[in-house]
Amino acid sequence: MGKSSLLASFLPLLLLLLPYCVLGDDPYRFFTWNVTYGDIWPMGVKQQGILINGQFPGPQIEAVTNDNLIINVFNSLQEPFLLSWNGVQQRRNSWQDGVYGTNCPIPPGGNFTYVMQVKDQIGSYFYFPSLAFHKAAGGFGGIRVLSRPLIPVPFPPPVADYTLLIGDWYKANHTDLRYILDSGRDLPFPDGILINGRGQYGNTFTVEQGKTYRFRVSNVGLATSLNVRIQGHAMMLVEVEGSHTLQNTYSSFDLHLGQSCSFLVTADQPPMDYYIVVSSRFTSTVLSTTAVLHYSNSGGQPVGPPPGGPTIQIDWSLNQARSIRWNLTASGPRPNPQGSYHYGLVNTTRTIRLANSASVINGKQRYAVNSVSFIPADTPLKVVDFYNISGVFSLGSMPDNPTYGAGYLQTSVMAANFRDYVEIIFENSEDTLQSWHIDGYSFWVVGMDGGQWTPASREGYNLRDAVARCTVQVYPKSWSAIYMPLDNVGMWNIRSENWARQYLGQQFYLRVYSPANSWRDENPIPRNALLCGRASGRRTRPL
C-alpha cells in the first residue's frame, strides 16, 4: 500500500478523533472487533453463539480511569447488531450508549466505531449485545477500569486479577427464545449456569499459597439471581460497580442480574484444590455449577461435596445487601475521599415511583413500568430528539407514579432537568425479585425493605454511607429507594435486567435536558453516527 493510500485509510478515523484529542491528553486504547456467529458447546449441546474475534465470551477490556476507548465493531451477522457497556457512564455522551433508544443498529456487513471515555470511573463492569435477544447467544465480555497510578487504592495490589462472568444459560438458540417471546409466551426455566462461557468444571483459577487475588464477578445472565462461594475461603468485598466498599468478609455472596463486584481472596488454606460454586437463588429448582481454585502446589482434588449455599431465603439476602457500605475514607477515581460528597445532605427536588407489573396486552404476555409497556420506535429516540422529528414519542409519556391500571403499549419517555436531584423508589408487588439498571449514572441505594413504600419509609434511609452503584435489586413484595443527581445530559435507558421482561416492555427512557445546548453539557452528535428510520438521508454535522 502506498503512502497516499495509507493516509487516506486513516483520515476518517483522524477526523473522528480530532475533537476528542483537543480536549485532553488522556491515553487512547484501540480495539477492532469482528462479530460473527460460531458453534459453541457450553453445556455439551451444539449451539449458535455470538463470537467477538472468535471468542466466547468476548475479549476483556482493560482500561485506566479517563482512558479513551476506540472500539471499531464490524457486524458479520446476518442481522443488525449493537453493543452496550453496562456501568460505563458515557459522560455527556449518550450517543455511545449502544442501546436502540440512542443508536441506530450496525447493519449486516457494516461497522461502527464507538468513541468513549471512562471518565472519572474505576471498577468492574461488562459489555453485552443489546438488540434482538442476542445476549442469550453470547457477545458479552468483562471491563476492568483500574485506578490511575497516583490514586491510592484501599488495599495492597493483588498478585493477579481474575474475571468471572457468571450467568444462567439456555440450550436453545437465541432465535428460538426470541420466537417464544414474540409469540406472547414467557421463557422456560434456564438449563444451567455458566462461568466464563463454560459449564461444570470448565474453569480452573491457579493461585499460590499465601498470596491474595482479586476476583471480579458479574452476573451477565438472563433471568436468575446467583450466589457465589469458594470452598474454605473467605471473600473480602472491596468494590461494587465502581465504588470502594467497607471491606466486609463473606462466606457466600448474592449477585443479582446485571450486577458486578470485586472480592479479595487469600490462598491461606492447605495446598490442594477447592470448589468455586455458583448456584441459583429464589428458584424452586436449584441450578449450580462449579469451577476449581487450584493451588500451584496442590496435593490433590477437592475434598467432599461442593459447599451448599442459600436457596430461597429472602431475609438473608436483604440483610447482606444492607451490609454493603461505601468506604468513606477511600479515594475513588479522584484523590479526594468518596465520602467528601455528602449525598444525604442534599435536598431532593423530585420523587419518582416506579412499579413493575406483568400484563397481558392484545393476548400476549407483556411487562410494564407504571402500567406502560415500552415499544421501540422506528427511529432511535436520541436521534429523533436531535433532529426534532415529530410524532415518535411524547415527553411525559412515562408517569412519575404508579397508576395501577391496565397495561398499555407506548414508546415511553420521562422528561427530567439537568442538575435536578431525584429520589426514585422501585416498587415490586410481584412474587419475583426484580433487578433495575440505569444507564449513564451511578446512584446511592439509600433504602430497601419489605412491604409498601410510604413517605415514612424515609426515616430508615441510610444518608451517610450507602453504596453508589448502577444496578439495584428489589426483593419480592418490597421496595428499594435511590438518590441520584441528574448530572449527565442525554437519553438514558432505565430497564429491567431480567432480559425477557426488558424485551417485553419493562423499560423506558429518561431524557435529561439542558436548555444551554452547549458542548460543555453534552457532546455533539458524532460525525460517524449511523442514521436510520426517519433520520435516514440526513447529515450529522459538517467536517
Side-chain angles (χ1 to χ4, degrees), residues 85-90 121 124-126 128 143 241 437-441 470-471 495:
W85 320 91
N86 213 73
V88 177
Q89 293 176 13
Q90 310 288 5
Q121 286 194 262
S124 310
Y125 311 100
F126 64 93
F128 67 96
I143 303 174
E241 294 160 25
H437 178 85
I438 301 181
D439 280 355
Y441 285 92
C470 56
T471 308
R495 62 175 177 268

Short mmCIF file of all heavy atoms in Angstrom, two decimals, residues 85-90 121 124-126 128 143 241 437-441 470-471 495:
data_model
loop_
_atom_site.label_atom_id
_atom_site.label_comp_id
_atom_site.label_asym_id
_atom_site.label_seq_id
_atom_site.Cartn_x
_atom_site.Cartn_y
_atom_site.Cartn_z
N TRP A 85 -22.63 -0.98 27.16
CA TRP A 85 -21.50 -1.03 28.08
C TRP A 85 -22.03 -0.84 29.49
O TRP A 85 -22.12 0.27 29.99
CB TRP A 85 -20.48 0.05 27.69
CG TRP A 85 -20.35 0.15 26.19
CD1 TRP A 85 -21.08 0.96 25.36
CD2 TRP A 85 -19.50 -0.64 25.35
NE1 TRP A 85 -20.71 0.75 24.05
CE2 TRP A 85 -19.74 -0.23 24.01
CE3 TRP A 85 -18.54 -1.62 25.59
CZ2 TRP A 85 -19.08 -0.80 22.92
CZ3 TRP A 85 -17.87 -2.18 24.51
CH2 TRP A 85 -18.14 -1.76 23.21
N ASN A 86 -22.39 -1.94 30.13
CA ASN A 86 -23.09 -1.91 31.41
C ASN A 86 -22.22 -1.28 32.50
O ASN A 86 -21.22 -1.85 32.91
CB ASN A 86 -23.45 -3.34 31.82
CG ASN A 86 -24.74 -3.43 32.60
OD1 ASN A 86 -25.82 -3.28 32.04
ND2 ASN A 86 -24.62 -3.67 33.90
N GLY A 87 -22.61 -0.11 32.97
CA GLY A 87 -21.88 0.59 34.03
C GLY A 87 -20.97 1.70 33.55
O GLY A 87 -20.59 2.57 34.35
N VAL A 88 -20.59 1.71 32.27
CA VAL A 88 -19.79 2.82 31.74
C VAL A 88 -20.73 4.02 31.56
O VAL A 88 -21.73 3.94 30.85
CB VAL A 88 -19.12 2.45 30.41
CG1 VAL A 88 -18.36 3.65 29.83
CG2 VAL A 88 -18.19 1.26 30.60
N GLN A 89 -20.44 5.12 32.22
CA GLN A 89 -21.41 6.21 32.34
C GLN A 89 -21.53 7.08 31.10
O GLN A 89 -22.49 7.87 31.01
CB GLN A 89 -21.07 7.08 33.57
CG GLN A 89 -21.26 6.33 34.88
CD GLN A 89 -20.82 7.13 36.08
OE1 GLN A 89 -20.59 8.36 36.01
NE2 GLN A 89 -20.67 6.47 37.21
N GLN A 90 -20.60 6.99 30.17
CA GLN A 90 -20.72 7.78 28.93
C GLN A 90 -21.00 9.25 29.25
O GLN A 90 -21.97 9.84 28.77
CB GLN A 90 -21.84 7.22 28.04
CG GLN A 90 -21.77 5.73 27.80
CD GLN A 90 -20.65 5.30 26.88
OE1 GLN A 90 -19.83 6.11 26.47
NE2 GLN A 90 -20.61 4.03 26.56
N GLN A 121 -14.04 7.16 36.38
CA GLN A 121 -14.57 5.87 36.80
C GLN A 121 -13.45 4.89 37.10
O GLN A 121 -12.36 4.95 36.51
CB GLN A 121 -15.47 5.27 35.70
CG GLN A 121 -16.83 5.93 35.58
CD GLN A 121 -17.79 5.10 34.75
OE1 GLN A 121 -17.96 5.36 33.56
NE2 GLN A 121 -18.42 4.11 35.37
N SER A 124 -15.48 -2.57 38.09
CA SER A 124 -15.75 -3.80 37.35
C SER A 124 -17.09 -3.69 36.64
O SER A 124 -18.12 -3.41 37.28
CB SER A 124 -15.78 -4.99 38.31
OG SER A 124 -14.63 -5.00 39.14
N TYR A 125 -17.09 -3.94 35.34
CA TYR A 125 -18.30 -3.80 34.52
C TYR A 125 -18.27 -4.88 33.43
O TYR A 125 -17.40 -5.74 33.41
CB TYR A 125 -18.36 -2.40 33.89
CG TYR A 125 -18.13 -1.27 34.87
CD1 TYR A 125 -16.88 -0.64 34.96
CD2 TYR A 125 -19.15 -0.85 35.72
CE1 TYR A 125 -16.67 0.39 35.87
CE2 TYR A 125 -18.93 0.17 36.64
CZ TYR A 125 -17.70 0.79 36.71
OH TYR A 125 -17.48 1.79 37.61
N PHE A 126 -19.24 -4.81 32.52
CA PHE A 126 -19.23 -5.73 31.39
C PHE A 126 -19.95 -5.09 30.22
O PHE A 126 -20.70 -4.12 30.37
CB PHE A 126 -19.87 -7.08 31.76
CG PHE A 126 -21.33 -7.01 32.12
CD1 PHE A 126 -22.32 -7.21 31.16
CD2 PHE A 126 -21.74 -6.78 33.43
CE1 PHE A 126 -23.68 -7.17 31.49
CE2 PHE A 126 -23.08 -6.73 33.78
CZ PHE A 126 -24.05 -6.92 32.80
N PHE A 128 -22.30 -6.05 26.53
CA PHE A 128 -23.22 -7.09 26.08
C PHE A 128 -23.95 -6.61 24.83
O PHE A 128 -24.06 -5.40 24.58
CB PHE A 128 -24.25 -7.40 27.19
CG PHE A 128 -25.19 -6.25 27.46
CD1 PHE A 128 -26.44 -6.20 26.86
CD2 PHE A 128 -24.82 -5.21 28.30
CE1 PHE A 128 -27.30 -5.14 27.09
CE2 PHE A 128 -25.68 -4.14 28.54
CZ PHE A 128 -26.92 -4.10 27.93
N ILE A 143 -15.15 -5.79 31.62
CA ILE A 143 -14.48 -4.49 31.56
C ILE A 143 -13.84 -4.23 32.92
O ILE A 143 -14.52 -4.27 33.95
CB ILE A 143 -15.45 -3.34 31.22
CG1 ILE A 143 -16.18 -3.59 29.90
CG2 ILE A 143 -14.72 -2.00 31.19
CD1 ILE A 143 -17.27 -2.56 29.60
N GLU A 241 -19.36 -2.11 41.45
CA GLU A 241 -19.70 -1.24 40.32
C GLU A 241 -19.08 0.15 40.43
O GLU A 241 -19.75 1.17 40.26
CB GLU A 241 -21.23 -1.17 40.18
CG GLU A 241 -21.82 -2.52 39.79
CD GLU A 241 -23.29 -2.65 40.10
OE1 GLU A 241 -23.99 -1.63 40.17
OE2 GLU A 241 -23.77 -3.79 40.27
N HIS A 437 -31.53 -1.42 36.24
CA HIS A 437 -30.30 -0.75 35.85
C HIS A 437 -30.63 0.60 35.23
O HIS A 437 -31.62 0.74 34.50
CB HIS A 437 -29.52 -1.59 34.83
CG HIS A 437 -28.26 -0.94 34.34
ND1 HIS A 437 -27.07 -1.04 35.02
CD2 HIS A 437 -28.01 -0.16 33.26
CE1 HIS A 437 -26.14 -0.35 34.37
NE2 HIS A 437 -26.69 0.19 33.30
N ILE A 438 -29.78 1.60 35.50
CA ILE A 438 -29.92 2.93 34.89
C ILE A 438 -28.63 3.24 34.14
O ILE A 438 -27.54 3.31 34.74
CB ILE A 438 -30.21 4.01 35.94
CG1 ILE A 438 -31.50 3.68 36.70
CG2 ILE A 438 -30.32 5.38 35.27
CD1 ILE A 438 -31.89 4.70 37.76
N ASP A 439 -28.72 3.41 32.83
CA ASP A 439 -27.57 3.80 32.03
C ASP A 439 -27.17 5.24 32.35
O ASP A 439 -28.02 6.09 32.66
CB ASP A 439 -27.89 3.69 30.54
CG ASP A 439 -27.80 2.26 30.02
OD1 ASP A 439 -27.38 1.38 30.79
OD2 ASP A 439 -28.17 2.03 28.85
N GLY A 440 -25.89 5.53 32.22
CA GLY A 440 -25.40 6.91 32.33
C GLY A 440 -25.18 7.41 33.74
O GLY A 440 -24.70 8.53 33.91
N TYR A 441 -25.47 6.57 34.74
CA TYR A 441 -25.45 7.08 36.11
C TYR A 441 -24.94 6.06 37.11
O TYR A 441 -24.97 4.85 36.87
CB TYR A 441 -26.87 7.52 36.54
CG TYR A 441 -27.29 8.81 35.92
CD1 TYR A 441 -28.00 8.83 34.73
CD2 TYR A 441 -26.93 10.02 36.48
CE1 TYR A 441 -28.37 10.02 34.13
CE2 TYR A 441 -27.29 11.22 35.89
CZ TYR A 441 -28.01 11.22 34.72
OH TYR A 441 -28.35 12.41 34.13
N CYS A 470 -24.87 1.09 39.93
CA CYS A 470 -25.73 1.39 38.78
C CYS A 470 -26.84 0.35 38.58
O CYS A 470 -27.67 0.51 37.69
CB CYS A 470 -24.90 1.51 37.50
SG CYS A 470 -23.88 0.05 37.13
N THR A 471 -26.87 -0.71 39.40
CA THR A 471 -27.89 -1.74 39.30
C THR A 471 -28.35 -2.11 40.70
O THR A 471 -27.51 -2.38 41.58
CB THR A 471 -27.35 -2.99 38.58
OG1 THR A 471 -26.74 -2.60 37.35
CG2 THR A 471 -28.45 -3.98 38.30
N ARG A 495 -34.08 0.17 32.83
CA ARG A 495 -34.60 -1.12 32.37
C ARG A 495 -34.51 -2.21 33.44
O ARG A 495 -33.68 -2.15 34.35
CB ARG A 495 -33.81 -1.60 31.15
CG ARG A 495 -32.34 -1.83 31.42
CD ARG A 495 -31.60 -2.43 30.22
NE ARG A 495 -30.17 -2.58 30.49
CZ ARG A 495 -29.25 -1.68 30.20
NH1 ARG A 495 -29.60 -0.53 29.63
NH2 ARG A 495 -27.98 -1.90 30.50
#
